Amino acid sequence: MNLSFIWQGLLSITWQQLLMYVIGGLLIYLAVEKGFEPALLMPMGFGAILVNLPLSGVVDQFNAGVGETNGIIQWLFEVGIEASEAMPLLLFIGIGAMIDFGPLLANPKLLLCGAAAQAGIFLTILIAAALGFDLKDAASIGIIGAADGPTALLVSQTLKSNFVGAIAVAAYSYMALVPIIQPCAVKLVTTRKDRSMRMPYTPQTVTRRTRILFPVLVTAVAGLVAPASVALVGFLMFGNLIRECGVLPSLANTAQNELANLVTLLLGITISFSMKADQFVRWETFMIMGLGLMAFVLDSVVGVLFVKVLNLFTPSNKINPMVGAAGISAFPMSARVIEKLGQEADPQNHLLMHAIAANVSGQIASVVAGGVVLQYFANLA
């Protein structure tokens, strides 16, 4: 058996490809061993390895069948990210069908937390531009701070950023790492006394009519405030309307499960085919990863600081400052992090329902922020 083509393939592997194998392996490890967003990280990690296999240099040594396989992989790389343009919008239907806005409707004041926690997006845009990134790329990098992978992917595609793959990987990776990143960010700007602050929770009934009207009104208001956000907000709220109307249980279940799972799987695979070593392993990619991390940290820190300021004006009805950090869009991971931090400070301190309310407000605010970015930067694409 002639194995010379194997040796030729091994010799053709570059250090960039080796690095991509490590990155792919790390994503798979985080998915399997740590359970961090396995539905996203597993296909991304495997695809990152697959697309960087050294097939092109030895294709003439293979039979026609393997040559055709190489052609398919190359085609997937070329089509890759563009094939997923509609997927983020479809995924928003599934996300909307999963969300219960009841806790937010019972305490509308927490909507402010979601708005404040998007500040990291715009701060990061300014920093990225100052570092020399083109404005359309800076805007796309900043949206990583939305803590919302579909929004980051859709914005970077629409703006025709030169770094769609790196932005997608950063957005989804940091979403998965929220349980590691956010506690560090929160503890930077809070004391144990802050974290142990209790918030009484009194369950309140939200009428069915209110639940049905809410997604319709939010879509209308978002359309007036940021017209470019209508598609993002509209699909999210359409999914929620399917859930809350009460007459489409089969569609609601399909959106929450089959649709969301299928689109997530396809997104992970198609994103990975934009991770070809010679285009992915660049200094800009590492800068984007750093800026994305900064955006996440800034979102959490600004959210906490905003609540601290808000408490100065509402001394009789204070909010635990950590709840402000839950205003990012990483639902429901961020809310769980805040609950855990609260119980670490005081085992009897339960903040989950308040954090959930802030977290779902962040889901709305992130897509509106994405629309605002599109509205003001789309003409640069």
Side-chain angles (χ1 to χ4, degrees):
M1 181 178 179
N2 185 4
L3 298 180
S4 62
F5 67 87
I6 296 179
W7 180 246
Q8 183 180 347
L10 291 174
L11 291 178
S12 69
I13 295 175
T14 65
W15 70 267
Q16 291 100 329
Q17 288 174 312
L18 286 174
L19 181 59
M20 293 308 300
Y21 300 156
V22 173
I23 292 173
L26 177 60
L27 294 178
I28 293 173
Y29 169 78
L30 292 174
V32 176
E33 295 296 328
K34 301 298 183 180
F36 293 162
E37 291 289 313
L40 286 168
L41 297 190
M42 177 68 76
M44 286 171 60
F46 184 80
I49 295 173
L50 179 62
V51 78
N52 287 291
L53 292 176
L55 296 178
S56 58
V58 295
V59 67
D60 56 331
Q61 302 289 337
F62 286 80
N63 59 33
V66 178
E68 290 170 4
T69 300
N70 180 68
I72 291 172
I73 292 177
Q74 181 65 25
W75 175 80
L76 283 171
F77 165 67
E78 293 172 352
V79 175
I81 209 76
E82 295 183 5
S84 64
E85 287 182 356
M87 292 183 195
L89 292 176
L90 294 176
L91 186 55
F92 275 125
I93 297 177
I95 295 172
M98 297 176 192
I99 293 177
D100 179 6
F101 287 112
L104 176 61
L105 292 171
N107 191 2
K109 183 172 72 171
L110 294 177
L111 189 63
L112 297 173
C113 295
Q118 308 310 310
I121 294 173
F122 303 99
L123 292 173
T124 303
I125 290 174
L126 295 176
I127 295 170
L131 289 174
F133 283 96
D134 183 273
L135 280 179
K136 68 178 182 180
D137 292 325
S140 301
I141 293 167
I143 210 67
I144 296 172
D148 186 340
T151 299
L153 183 56
L154 185 64
V155 168
S156 60
Q157 287 175 328
T158 304
L159 295 182
K160 294 180 171 56
S161 170
N162 297 312
F163 306 103
V164 174
I167 289 167
V169 171
Y172 281 107
S173 298
Y174 290 141
M175 279 176 60
L177 295 174
V178 163
I180 295 176
I181 297 170
Q182 201 165 35
C184 299
V186 170
K187 289 180 178 180
L188 281 175
V189 287
T190 59
T191 64
R192 186 179 184 87
K193 182 179 179 181
D194 290 330
R195 297 193 292 274
S196 62
M197 182 190 297
R198 296 187 183 185
M199 293 179 65
Y201 178 72
T202 304
Q204 299 182 32
T205 301
V206 178
T207 66
R208 180 167 174 260
R209 177 176 296 178
T210 301
R211 289 175 176 271
I212 292 174
L213 287 175
F214 181 72
V216 177
L217 292 175
V218 167
T219 303
V221 172
L224 294 173
V225 174
S229 71
V230 167
L232 295 165
V233 177
F235 275 67
L236 179 72
M237 291 300 153
F238 174 64
N240 188 249
L241 183 60
I242 292 174
R243 170 196 175 101
E244 300 297 352
C245 71
V247 295
L248 296 170
S250 60
L251 285 183
N253 289 333
T254 298
Q256 293 178 40
N257 297 293
E258 288 82 1
L259 177 64
N261 290 334
L262 179 60
V263 174
T264 298
L265 180 62
L266 292 175
L267 267 177
I269 288 291
T270 54
I271 289 169
S272 71
F273 283 108
S274 67
M275 297 170 65
K276 202 166 184 180
D278 58 349
Q279 298 187 16
F280 188 86
V281 182
R282 295 187 287 177
W283 282 114
E284 292 89 347
T285 298
F286 297 106
M287 291 175 68
I288 288 168
M289 297 300 288
L291 288 166
L293 178 59
M294 180 186 299
F296 265 66
V297 171
L298 286 173
D299 279 344
S300 300
V301 168
V302 172
V304 171
L305 296 178
F306 171 79
V307 171
K308 287 190 173 188
V309 172
L310 184 64
N311 285 341
L312 297 176
F313 297 95
T314 57
S316 61
N317 188 20
K318 289 186 176 183
I319 301 172
N320 186 304
M322 292 194 300
V323 171
I328 67 171
S329 179
F331 173 83
M333 292 176 288
S334 182
R336 292 172 180 163
V337 167
I338 301 309
E339 167 74 1
K340 183 178 179 180
L341 289 173
Q343 292 202 317
E344 285 179 359
D346 177 359
Q348 302 304 314
N349 189 16
H350 297 285
L351 300 170
L352 183 61
M353 296 309 295
H354 304 290
I356 284 287
N359 212 177
V360 297
S361 76
Q363 185 72 67
I364 299 172
S366 70
V367 293
V368 172
V372 170
V373 169
L374 285 176
Q375 185 167 325
Y376 289 100
F377 291 91
N379 61 335
L380 300 176

